[in-house]
Amino acid sequence: MSFEPKIVGFLCNWCSYAAADLAGTSRKKYAPNVRVIRVMCSGRVDPTFVLKAFQCGADGVLVCG
Amino acid sequence: MASVRSHESIELMTYSEVVEVSGYVGNFKVKIRKKPRYVDEDKCTGCGVCQEKCPFKADNEFDVGLGSRKAIFTPFPQAVPNIPVIDPDSCAYFLRNKCRACEKFCEAGAIDFEQTEKLVEVDVGSIIITTGFDSFDPSPIVQYGYGIYDNVYTGLQFERMSNASGPTGGKLQLRDGSQPKSVAILHCVGSRDTNYHEYCSRVCCMYSLKFSHIIREKIPDAEIYQFYIDLRCFGKGYEEFYNRLQEEGVNFIRGRAGEVTNVAETPEEKGKLIVLCEDTLIGRQRRIPVDMVVLSNALEPRADAGETAKLFSLSRTADGFFMERHPKLDPVATMTDGIFIAGCCQGPKDIPDTVAQASAAAARVLSMISKGEVEIEAATSIVDEELCSGCKTCLELCPYNAISFDEEKKLASINEALCKGCGTCAAACPSGAIVSKHFTTEQILSQVEGVLI
């Protein structure tokens, strides 16, 4: 069985979250390994969010903005 | 335009430029630079004597290089306001310190060579941006010969030529003054072309059809050829107009023209421009000799769209036009509250669509004015005054300058009208005193748990 990483993505509402949304409306596929959490700005991402994600078993954390 | 100028609640500022915008919805401060016209707007009666007497000429920008204007001029007879402007780059007084003919003949004494630019600041509640488009310059497409062959024109040049107050007085003519007996109109020049603009410019099909109609009217026996990829006659009454032109005997050739050349292969082609194309309906290469070629060139974002976007904090789409808040549900608003866009600065569109969009933008502004209050974002940040230590970390970080420092209480305070709820302050606050509403630390941590466990 191949490795399927669990990735938590913190996406900025105005760019990367909008892009993920656009991918959806354009019927484009992306890997389901990334689980998206919307923030109003990537500046909102507190280091504790990242640590919490690893603590809960994430293999990677993506901060986009 | 004239009724806009005479409206008591509208102040029209032409020959002016916005240089700075600050504030927020309901409280914008806009700094405007009024360029010197060298004509006193209050004294000028618009009689036009100065334009008659001025001995110097320059290319008329409005006629796209086809006609000339004086050094003191109004761009076209119906221009509003009917007050001329002196172009320092072609005026002998500015270049060589002599002449002043306009001043001598002006009965109203309105000429003022000492005028300087003025900065004015206005307070406004909302802003509508309608900066329009630029016409694509087809000279990079060398195979069409614009700028190489005399009788290759752009759509806008043809439009000026066909206008009764244009450089030829409405007469369709070649550069040597003779009347064309055959005209080719090439569609999609610079648009629907991945080398230049991928998008469709929307208006060219219909104005190309209009040109055919004008040619048919002014030169009844002319041969007219339209070279098209496909005709997009999408609007009300447009398809009917297309059918009418087919009945008027316009030749429609499906196929993008490949080249315009003056190299004749047969005696009939001698002295003519030959349009080479593949007629895809009969599957054959064709050579069509014509006297005049009109390029239906694309609409493109204005050259200074980037600076305008910066000035008003607008986003732009990949093609360079200003981006609306939502393409379907909020087509005239922008990401900044109180700033709206309308017309071709948002994307190519024809006159009915522009009027509809401009009306929508005006209605949006009026609804805000009549309500007297604005709805602000629900997701803003708030300061817990008990926890705030007054360290001022957040003040520097806020991208919207929404946080100020209350000197009396020694605490940070957030202006909710300015706050966009980005939460940068909440993440950075060392005391954990700022709460980003709807995106609290607890909410986000629970979401992390939710997606992983």
Side-chain angles (χ1 to χ4, degrees), chain B residues 98-211:
Chain B
K98 52 186 175 191
C99 182
R100 297 178 88 125
C102 47
E103 197 178 32
K104 274 170 230 149
F105 288 99
C106 181
E107 282 181 20
I111 308 291
D112 176 7
F113 286 105
E114 307 305 315
Q115 241 179 35
T116 49
E117 63 173 40
K118 265 189 261 170
L119 277 179
V120 284
E121 200 173 77
V122 292
D123 292 321
V124 294
S126 35
I127 296 170
I128 303 177
I129 294 165
T130 54
T131 46
F133 65 95
D134 269 347
S135 176
F136 171 77
D137 171 14
S139 38
I141 311 180
V142 285
Q143 62 268 35
Y144 287 163
Y146 179 73
I148 302 169
Y149 305 127
D150 277 348
N151 293 312
V152 179
Y153 297 89
T154 64
L156 210 52
Q157 284 179 317
F158 184 88
E159 177 68 36
R160 288 308 297 153
M161 205 194 287
S162 68
N163 190 296
S165 63
T168 60
K171 207 171 141 236
L172 302 182
Q173 59 183 37
L174 301 171
R175 298 271 183 189
D176 63 5
S178 65
Q179 195 181 57
K181 286 275 160 251
S182 47
V183 183
I185 301 174
L186 276 51
H187 289 229
C188 301
V189 175
S191 42
R192 302 184 71 191
D193 182 340
T194 45
N195 295 318
Y196 303 97
H197 298 302
E198 201 183 339
Y199 55 82
C200 163
S201 288
R202 271 174 81 99
V203 296
C204 334
C205 277
M206 292 318 294
Y207 79 59
S208 302
L209 293 183
K210 185 191 83 172
F211 288 168

